[in-house]
Amino acid sequence: MAGRRLVVPLAVSLVLTMSPPAGATLIDAYSTDHIVVQQVGGTTLTWIEDANLASTNTFGVSGVLSGGVMSWYTAGAWIAAVNDASYLGYGDWRLPTIGELQDMGLECGYYGATALESYFDHLMTQGESEYWSSTTYESNPILAYSFAFKPDAAYGLGGQTFVHAKDGYKYIWPVRTGSSISTPPEEPVPEPVTILLFGAGLTALGMVRRKR
């Protein structure tokens, strides 16, 4: 892959290695619609099921190389074209943040690549297969974070975080915030009037029993 690579010190990420992803859940409910829903804590994300869609669909954007890799700048244009096409019925796809990629990496590291690949197609895990994030490197705006999924990475991280020049070539995996997932309705909370009537009924029942 082209571009400068700056490996983020491992010590920064050690706090993420002691346990499985807290509250992270992949939901396969939408595989027929080519999307997979992920719930991480109180956040719901929708990922495109094809983790390398650009390899088969450039959406008319130039600069997408063979295999689906592109620069960070081209990624912005490609995502815009995906949204213009309302791909899969949505127009708010975006690049994931580095934190979102790391969360997915934790799932990969804890549950294994096979489990993750059962949800997603064409997930790139071999060699230097890195995905661009939307997160610009804090110390230099010409650099951005990327993430490589490596199921056998040390400490169960499921991958490694890098910093690259934005003109380098990486894979792209669109995500969007939220989903159309339907959840079972919660048990209705009784209204105050209902509670009052129910209480009155119990009181009356008690009075009857006392009379007997």
Side-chain angles (χ1 to χ4, degrees):
M1 301 288 178
R4 291 172 289 171
R5 183 164 72 179
L6 193 161
V7 181
V8 174
L10 184 61
V12 173
S13 300
L14 285 180
V15 292
L16 301 175
T17 67
M18 303 307 172
S19 61
T25 306
L26 285 173
I27 303 172
D28 200 16
Y30 289 92
S31 61
T32 56
D33 293 332
H34 307 292
I35 59 176
V36 176
V37 175
Q38 180 192 33
Q39 292 180 331
V40 185
T43 302
T44 302
L45 299 173
T46 299
W47 298 81
I48 291 180
E49 187 180 43
D50 188 342
N52 190 16
L53 176 64
S55 65
T56 57
N57 194 339
T58 66
F59 290 89
V61 174
S62 60
V64 180
L65 302 188
S66 175
V69 296
M70 66 190 82
S71 73
W72 191 88
Y73 302 106
T74 301
W78 186 80
I79 291 287
V82 171
N83 286 326
D84 287 344
S86 295
Y87 186 68
L88 301 180
Y90 301 105
D92 56 354
W93 297 106
R94 57 177 175 79
L95 282 178
T97 66
I98 189 59
E100 290 166 346
L101 286 172
Q102 289 169 338
D103 283 339
M104 187 65 80
L106 285 175
E107 297 215 40
C108 182
Y110 187 77
Y111 297 109
T114 302
L116 209 60
E117 288 166 354
S118 68
Y119 289 95
F120 301 106
D121 297 326
H122 311 128
L123 180 64
M124 310 307 292
T125 60
Q126 302 301 315
E128 296 184 4
S129 302
E130 299 168 35
Y131 284 86
W132 277 125
S133 79
S134 63
T135 309
T136 295
Y137 186 53
E138 299 84 351
S139 300
N140 192 333
I142 70 169
L143 306 176
Y145 287 96
S146 65
F147 188 82
F149 289 95
K150 297 182 182 299
D152 57 348
Y155 305 106
L157 283 172
Q160 194 167 9
T161 300
F162 300 96
V163 175
H164 285 278
K166 292 179 178 179
D167 58 2
Y169 292 90
K170 311 296 171 196
Y171 295 100
I172 302 300
W173 193 2
V175 68
R176 58 182 296 272
T177 303
S179 75
S180 57
I181 185 172
S182 58
T183 56
E186 297 182 357
E187 290 295 325
V189 178
E191 295 292 334
V193 174
T194 304
I195 296 175
L196 180 62
L197 291 175
F198 181 68
L202 290 177
T203 301
L205 182 59
M207 291 175 64
V208 170
R209 286 178 175 171
R210 281 196 295 271
K211 288 181 179 180
R212 292 179 181 177

